[in-house]
Amino acid sequence: MSGVLLALAALLVLGASGAGIALNLPRARSGPIGFVFESIAIGIVVQEVVGLVALRTGHYSRPAVLVLTLLVIVASVALFIRRGSIRKGRGTARVRGAAPGANHQALAAVGVMVVLVGIALALRQGPSYFIFETGDMGEYVNAANILARTGNLSASFPHGFTVFLGGTNLLFGQAHTVAAVPALGIGLVLGASAYSRAIGLHVVAALGIAALVVAHPVTVWFSLFPVSEALYAVLLIAALYFVVQARANLSFAHAVLGGLVVGLMLIVRGNAMLLAPIVVLVLFASAAIDDERTVRVQRAFTVVALLALSAAYAYDLHYPRTYFVQTQLRGMVPHNVFKIANRAKLFNVSIPLVLAVAAGLAAVLGATVLITRFVRPRVVDRPETFWRVAYGVLVGGTFVALIFMHHGGLVDATLRWGPVLVLLTLAGLAGVLVRPGKYLDGANGWLLLLVTCSYTLLFAARVKISMPHAYYLYYDRYLFSEVLPAALVFAAIGLHLLVEGFERARTYEGEARTRTAARVAIAALCVIAVVAFVPNLKETHRITRYPLFGDAYQALDRLDTLTRTQGNGAIVYSAPPTPPPGWFFQNTYRAFALPLGLTFGRSVVGMPSNPFAKDVQFDPASARARLAASGFDKGYLVALRPPGAAPAASSTGTKYLGTVDYVSPLLKRTVKRKPAAFQLVPFHFDVYALS
């Protein structure tokens, strides 16, 4: 099955998993595209929750996940039917009339979106099967394969992305564990468009931002590169979207879903810890300026988000504890604060932690009451001034902070977005700052700016300078996860400003010459933007020439098959101490030997204990001795052939079984103006049976 069909099937499964719940939500102005995005976003939540429940109850398997998913679908559809029957019985069913031409416009928008999704799938049909244990991507993939095969999950990285990949493995088989990663890219396309329509932007702006996401090299790459940020970015824009819908429709259902998505994000990445103070600040601002009904909805979102974050925090403390506490929290929390929290047992699932969560939630709700009582009367009549001051202080403070921070890495990553996305983002940002409440309601704009500014500062602190890496756009993923989804909203507003300007020029009642000049100027800007986007299109074409690592899984699968020719014996891996020319890692055993043990469940002996140690070279005699020392009387030798050498002939106790040939496409991240080209590194593995 092709990559396009697999990604489309993954989208359909996610959509089906969430469609029943989405049907029960208040219908909103984002229309059919919004409904599809809601279904996919809710489907991701359903599959994550189902996977985690099955895992922690000891029943993780294809039948268990299928049954739990069907229960959710049946229950949600039954609820929808029952609610419809109740409304009909009470005579409260309503059919909303549509404005003239609105249905035709909606159908046209859906048609364009279908074409865009088709193009997006075609560009994303070669996801990298990152099976090599040479980065956290490989650990996610191998852990997902182990999860699907054994029902067990190691306590290393946060579990959200691994569970997502494990579900794909259950759905399509081990050969296609990464097949649903492109579906996340489609989720980002739909999410950017649905959010744009939800805030009332012109349909052309919504489709325009979708088209940009479809073809932009950064968004395409992170639809092919199996990193947790790919899932996290979709969840972020889903959370932002649900908040918009909750406030616009006074919908507690959307508010609850938004809060649950925020909590799930912490199961995926530790960065979501920053969302706790962000949602609190948004609630405080809402309490100061919004009407009572809107504040109630905002409060519901905040409470659910904080409780969900607390539950996710406890999960991360208990399961992927070492990585979550020692790597992620220690890297985010100031040293002195970390020491105090550790002494207070806030890094353990403990009574002090429960009390701290309860006290924190009570403090937030109490402060909200105080703000409503004492601050609101002073500012409620001047909302535009309030938001301008709040926005200005936040954005100005961020720029001042960046001046005194190392920001070379931030500038380098942002420049790779290209002039079109950067300028549209800046235009939309200026529109929000100058006219708060016009394109985004005040609290949604505040939320978007808090996310953008907070995670921009975090990226600048984390990636101080531009650095090369063995993997293309490796460090850019830390900007892709939070800042880019928010930037897409600002860019959509920038597009809306262009469309709005063109329409105003068309209806301008002044001199025909002025009206024509304005329309020509805006049309010229659009042409310039299209031309300026051409380098991005060329980069997209370049980076999709080969899948990163190519047929890595197929090569290892052939090695696994060949080393079962004479029974399921142990394997000794041999390679010269010096890796092949062009290879990016210090050794090759973590790419080819270790995954045989992890993903394929084989016994592999003789590997170094140091992940960065050089490869060990064995001949048949020393390999046989190594097998004996490990308690095996027979097995296999997989030997990476040195350049220019030939396979060894069969001899007594050694039978040559064949050779597996593999070519690995590699794409590096450089700091030079001219990007690195793909490197094709050939490998030849000779396989012997030892007895």
Side-chain angles (χ1 to χ4, degrees):
M1 191 182 293
S2 73
V4 170
L5 293 179
L6 287 169
L8 182 59
L11 278 173
L12 292 174
V13 170
L14 290 173
S17 300
I21 297 175
L23 284 170
N24 286 282
L25 298 176
R27 293 274 48 86
R29 60 185 172 185
S30 52
I33 295 172
F35 172 73
V36 172
F37 175 65
E38 287 176 2
S39 299
I40 292 172
I42 296 169
I44 292 173
V45 176
V46 168
Q47 289 303 316
E48 288 285 326
V49 172
V50 163
L52 289 169
V53 168
L55 170 64
R56 293 304 155 205
T57 57
H59 295 92
Y60 191 88
S61 63
R62 184 178 286 112
V65 170
L66 176 61
V67 168
L68 289 173
T69 301
L70 288 176
L71 284 175
V72 172
I73 295 173
V74 170
S76 56
V77 171
L79 177 62
F80 172 71
I81 294 173
R82 178 174 173 77
R83 291 177 67 212
S85 300
I86 292 173
R87 284 196 299 266
K88 185 177 180 180
R90 292 176 178 176
T92 57
R94 293 180 298 173
V95 179
R96 297 182 183 181
N103 290 333
H104 295 293
Q105 186 186 67
L107 287 174
V110 170
V112 173
M113 183 58 73
V114 169
V115 173
L116 291 175
V117 168
I119 296 171
L121 287 169
L123 289 173
R124 292 159 171 80
Q125 62 180 304
S128 171
Y129 201 122
F130 204 125
I131 197 171
F132 301 157
E133 281 281 320
T134 55
D136 48 356
M137 296 70 64
E139 183 155 348
Y140 281 122
V141 171
N142 282 294
N145 290 337
I146 294 171
L147 172 63
R149 189 179 75 249
T150 68
N152 297 317
L153 183 55
S154 61
S156 55
F157 293 149
H159 291 171
F161 189 54
T162 304
V163 170
F164 178 82
L165 294 176
T168 311
N169 183 311
L170 293 181
L171 184 63
F172 300 126
Q174 183 170 278
H176 305 292
T177 298
V178 298
V181 175
L184 297 174
I186 306 304
L188 194 62
V189 171
L190 295 169
S193 180
Y195 188 105
S196 301
R197 293 299 289 151
I199 61 175
L201 299 186
H202 197 284
V203 66
V204 173
L207 293 173
I209 197 62
L212 189 148
V213 178
V214 163
H216 197 282
V218 174
T219 54
V220 169
W221 180 256
F222 287 110
S223 303
L224 301 171
F225 197 45
V227 289
S228 60
E229 289 83 357
L231 174 59
Y232 188 95
V234 179
L235 291 175
L236 176 64
I237 202 158
L240 297 174
Y241 169 88
F242 284 132
V243 174
V244 167
Q245 295 289 24
R247 292 176 57 82
N249 298 285
L250 298 178
S251 167
F252 287 95
H254 280 105
V256 169
L257 280 170
L260 292 175
V261 171
V262 169
L264 178 59
M265 290 169 69
L266 187 55
I267 301 289
V268 178
R269 287 188 58 74
N271 283 10
M273 286 290 294
L274 279 180
L275 293 175
I278 287 174
V279 300
V280 169
L281 288 174
V282 174
L283 174 61
F284 289 167
S286 174
I289 213 76
D290 286 331
D291 62 80
E292 185 178 345
R293 296 174 68 192
T294 305
V295 173
R296 282 203 300 268
V297 171
Q298 191 70 47
R299 184 169 55 233
F301 162 73
T302 305
V303 170
V304 173
L306 292 177
L307 290 175
L309 283 169
S310 300
Y313 179 78
Y315 180 94
D316 289 340
L317 287 179
H318 187 68
Y319 292 107
R321 174 177 177 76
T322 301
Y323 182 82
F324 180 67
V325 175
Q326 299 302 328
T327 301
Q328 294 197 305
L329 291 183
R330 189 179 285 276
M332 292 173 57
V333 178
H335 179 67
N336 290 332
V337 176
F338 185 91
K339 288 173 62 178
I340 294 170
N342 193 36
R343 288 173 187 165
K345 298 188 180 300
L346 299 184
F347 297 146
N348 300 88
V349 180
S350 60
I351 292 177
L353 177 62
V354 174
L355 293 175
V357 170
L361 189 58
V364 168
L365 295 177
T368 304
V369 172
L370 293 176
I371 290 170
T372 304
R373 181 173 299 177
F374 297 108
V375 178
R376 176 180 168 79
R378 301 183 181 186
V379 299
V380 70
D381 294 330
R382 295 170 291 172
E384 195 166 312
T385 302
F386 175 84
W387 291 121
R388 276 181 179 160
V389 172
Y391 292 179
V393 169
L394 176 62
V395 175
T398 300
F399 275 110
V400 170
L402 288 173
I403 291 172
F404 294 99
M405 297 173 68
H406 293 284
H407 50 262
L410 176 64
V411 172
D412 178 60
T414 306
L415 288 177
R416 260 191 300 279
W417 289 5
V420 174
L421 180 55
V422 170
L423 291 176
L424 284 175
T425 300
L426 292 175
L429 176 62
V432 171
L433 294 176
V434 173
R435 298 291 302 275
K438 179 174 174 59
Y439 306 106
L440 275 170
D441 91 334
N444 281 311
W446 181 233
L447 173 59
L448 203 64
L449 287 170
L450 281 169
V451 168
T452 304
C453 294
S454 300
Y455 286 102
T456 297
L457 292 173
L458 180 63
F459 181 87
R462 189 172 192 174
V463 185
K464 296 179 174 61
I465 60 174
S466 177
M467 296 179 289
H469 201 275
Y471 312 129
Y472 179 72
L473 296 188
Y474 180 81
Y475 297 111
D476 298 52
R477 62 189 181 137
Y478 303 130
L479 204 64
F480 171 82
S481 52
E482 294 99 359
V483 179
L484 184 65
L488 292 176
V489 176
F490 289 122
I493 294 172
L495 279 171
H496 178 83
L497 291 173
L498 284 175
V499 176
E500 191 177 50
F502 188 85
E503 289 191 337
R504 283 183 178 178
R506 187 181 61 184
T507 58
Y508 179 65
E509 296 180 355
E511 294 184 9
R513 184 181 301 176
T514 303
R515 182 168 63 249
T516 302
R519 294 172 66 183
V520 169
I522 294 172
L525 279 176
C526 294
V527 172
I528 293 171
V530 171
V531 172
F533 195 67
V534 169
N536 291 115
L537 295 177
K538 290 182 177 179
E539 181 68 356
T540 298
H541 176 72
R542 185 183 77 86
I543 65 175
T544 53
R545 184 177 181 185
Y546 304 101
L548 183 69
F549 301 147
D551 297 328
Y553 177 83
Q554 288 77 3
L556 283 162
D557 186 51
R558 292 197 297 272
L559 285 174
D560 176 59
T561 301
L562 205 54
T563 54
R564 296 182 190 271
T565 306
Q566 297 188 2
N568 187 16
I571 298 171
V572 176
Y573 178 80
S574 169
T578 302
W583 184 243
F584 65 95
F585 203 67
Q586 292 91 327
N587 55 58
T588 61
Y589 86 86
R590 290 191 66 84
F592 301 102
L594 191 54
L596 281 172
L598 297 174
T599 283
F600 294 91
R602 304 300 300 277
S603 297
V604 184
V605 301
M607 291 185 293
S609 57
N610 183 351
F612 304 108
K614 292 184 177 181
D615 286 318
V616 179
Q617 193 162 16
F618 294 89
D619 58 23
S622 59
R624 197 176 292 109
R626 189 68 187 81
L627 284 170
S630 301
F632 299 98
D633 57 357
K634 62 180 182 179
Y636 299 90
L637 171 63
V638 174
L640 174 60
R641 190 193 308 166
S650 297
S651 60
T652 303
T654 303
K655 182 180 180 180
Y656 171 67
L657 299 175
T659 297
V660 173
D661 299 315
Y662 162 64
V663 176
S664 180
L666 307 177
L667 188 61
K668 297 180 179 179
R669 180 191 189 279
T670 68
V671 295
K672 298 178 182 178
R673 182 174 296 274
K674 184 178 180 180
F678 268 103
Q679 284 184 286
L680 302 179
V681 181
F683 293 87
H684 307 284
F685 298 99
D686 299 321
V687 181
Y688 305 87
L690 305 176
S691 60

